[in-house]
Amino acid sequence: MPIPHFDGGTLKPAHKGLVTSQRLFEPVHKNLFEISFVLPAILQAQGRDPYLMLENATSIDIGNLTPDVAYSEQRFKYSTRVFMNTPDKTHTEFDINFNVNIADAGDVFVYNTLRAWYDLVWDSQNGTLMYKRDIVGTIIVNHHDRKGYVIRRVTYNNCMPQVITDFTSLNFSESGILETIGCKWVSDYWTDEKIDTNSQVQLPNIYA
């Protein structure tokens, strides 16, 4: 006899069997994603390879895309009523980690691309500063299911690097490898697309 969480146990006939179990719905996997990069035009002209960035992006902290919104309060004698405020900010920050490898020519290519992008903000070697329109790029996160169908897409627009991390410490007593380097980004705004059967706005699927 099936166990209750499959057959519904003593539930009413209209709810006989739990839908999630009976329909064999899939879970959401945390490691099925790809991160695409549209590099600034200056980096594209230098021949920087965004596909190597995609291949080596190992994790992302998407950031809080539904931030806490405060409220304001009014009073009449001892009773209160509240109204939602507007957000304190509409930009967002997020972090991406990358594998670190050395190409045949001896170049640490992922770091070099990150560094070239950061140098558009401020080049510590010569003090050069670039305009915002020269710095910004686009970063796209496609979160997909086991068959490759995208279930959520987050597009960060006007992305700029804030800091490159984890490439600053070397130690004779450590025998391991430098596993990852990280970069913190800031984005002016984002598009958060998802499949929602109760909405008329649907996610165009790049694998369809």
Side-chain angles (χ1 to χ4, degrees), residues 103-135:
D104 294 338
D107 54 313
V108 185
F109 47 89
V110 168
Y111 174 76
N112 289 350
T113 299
L114 292 174
R115 180 60 184 270
W117 199 338
Y118 178 87
D119 285 348
L120 299 179
V121 177
W122 171 61
D123 189 333
S124 64
Q125 303 304 295
N126 56 29
T128 300
L129 305 171
M130 305 299 289
Y131 293 134
K132 179 175 180 176
R133 60 177 174 265
D134 299 316
I135 300 170

Side-chain angles (χ1 to χ4, degrees), residues 84-103:
M84 297 307 297
N85 294 346
T86 55
D88 291 331
K89 64 177 184 178
T90 57
H91 65 274
T92 190
E93 300 176 1
F94 59 99
D95 300 277
I96 301 176
N97 291 316
F98 299 84
N99 285 323
V100 186
N101 294 102
I102 305 171

